[in-house]
Amino acid sequence: MSGTDFRTLSEKVLKHLSDRDMRLITVESCTGGMICAALTDIPGSSNVIEGGLITYSNALKMSAAGVSEEILAGCGAVSEETAQAMAEGALWHAADATIAIAVTGIAGPDGGTADKPVGTVCFGISVFQGESRTERHVFPGGRSDVRNATVRHALEMILKV
């Protein structure tokens, strides 16, 4: 899936956020910034995008997104608990953001286990003084397929807020 395939969906997300006077921060692990890149590829996105964090390492998940060592040790980096903590932590640290989307997963080709196979991605979304929720999905295909499916699903989750 090319970047242009995300354009229409990204435009919808930006309008959705703008109509609600919301500002978004992304916290990305397995996508390496692809969600924020899809959105900031659209002119005028600075009106609703606060920024994005790429938190590949556990150390950065803790220091930049406020994920506790206890959550990482007890649940693992790829867990709904970690995704939620990433979203809530980023929202807390970003002064002007009102919504955060976080993703953490195993894009492959290595790193999967029986409990968390390659393609497992956990999502967390949090709205300032509003709803928070998580989801877990296992996407098929190779690394690129998993990452693209993750971006698409994250954008779709934002539209549901």
Side-chain angles (χ1 to χ4, degrees):
M1 182 174 299
S2 68
T4 57
D5 292 328
F6 292 128
R7 187 169 189 89
T8 300
L9 185 55
S10 294
E11 287 170 343
K12 286 180 184 177
V13 168
L14 294 174
K15 181 174 181 349
H16 179 80
L17 294 171
S18 179
D19 289 350
R20 288 155 183 79
D21 198 28
M22 299 178 90
R23 291 189 58 79
L24 174 72
I25 185 165
T26 66
V27 193
E28 305 179 58
S29 185
C30 60
T31 50
M34 290 172 63
I35 299 165
C36 198
L39 292 166
T40 58
D41 195 41
I42 310 297
S45 59
S46 61
N47 293 325
V48 296
I49 303 300
E50 182 69 18
L53 302 171
I54 301 170
T55 58
Y56 244 54
S57 73
N58 285 351
L60 198 56
K61 283 176 179 68
M62 289 187 290
S63 66
V67 179
S68 73
E69 189 173 353
E70 292 77 22
I71 288 175
L72 289 167
C75 304
V78 178
S79 65
E80 290 178 74
E81 294 84 354
T82 295
Q84 192 62 43
M86 289 165 64
E88 290 173 357
L91 196 57
W92 176 259
H93 289 96
D96 292 332
T98 56
I99 181 173
I101 184 83
V103 297
T104 182
I106 306 164
D110 302 320
T113 66
D115 290 340
K116 297 176 186 177
V118 168
T120 301
V121 180
C122 296
F123 298 80
I125 193 164
S126 186
V127 178
F128 182 71
Q129 295 183 338
E131 73 176 283
S132 292
R133 71 175 203 265
T134 62
E135 294 182 12
R136 177 183 164 157
H137 296 275
V138 180
F139 296 114
R143 184 175 183 81
S144 180
D145 300 317
V146 170
R147 288 165 47 106
N148 284 326
T150 300
V151 172
R152 177 168 301 285
H153 189 75
L155 295 174
E156 289 169 349
M157 280 182 75
I158 295 166
L159 287 174
K160 293 177 184 174
V161 170

